[in-house]
Amino acid sequence: MPSGPFAHVCMVVRDLDKAIEDWTKILRVLDPQSLEKRIVKYDEFSSGDDAGMKWATFVNEYSTEIQFIQPAPGTPMGRRLDKVGEHVHHLCFSTDDVPGAMAKLKAEGIDLPGDGETFNDPDMTWQKWSWVGAKSTHGCLIEVASPYESRNDGNWHHAPNKFAYKGPGEHPSHAEVAPIKAA
């Protein structure tokens, strides 16, 4: 599991195996710790409109992880790949309370696709996630997800109580940049 709530950067790729091969070479030079644990790889995501995608993550307990998605043809993400090409799809932050974080982001006036709806993976019932829209992030989606960890077995496992957001006022030094709204 990454060392902080900034969990991973996810890229949409055409060829998952080629992306893994290329990034193994890059990480071997720039971040060898990302190669110490087994890659978490799923050959088919079975939920929602983007069912059939493949994805993989370089696990790093000390830094932000690198993740790739190879979408299935004809899916919304597959059509986006055809239109835009390979690209960074999202940044992921993890929190123990996804619905609570989404409510707080909504109260801050942040753009939330689907009004901050929280999703659940039927294959990993503990995993919840939602999205912050690119309008508020200045160009990139943000995934807000339940904390996870690898046990070096090629799978994700729940890691509760790792990153709990305490609410407005937790970091008052930044209040002058983005004033804290009263609840």
Side-chain angles (χ1 to χ4, degrees), residues 75-92:
T75 61
M77 199 175 300
R79 289 189 295 274
R80 180 171 174 79
L81 175 61
D82 290 341
K83 180 179 178 182
V84 178
E86 295 181 314
H87 61 281
V88 172
H89 182 262
H90 68 266
L91 309 177
C92 178

Side-chain angles (χ1 to χ4, degrees), residues 114-143:
D115 204 32
E117 176 184 4
T118 298
F119 301 93
N120 187 250
D121 186 334
D123 296 328
M124 292 184 280
T125 56
W126 53 267
Q127 181 56 271
K128 294 176 178 50
W129 74 92
S130 191
W131 299 100
V132 175
K135 290 176 188 172
S136 290
T137 66
H138 302 267
C140 185
L141 283 172
I142 291 178
E143 177 186 18

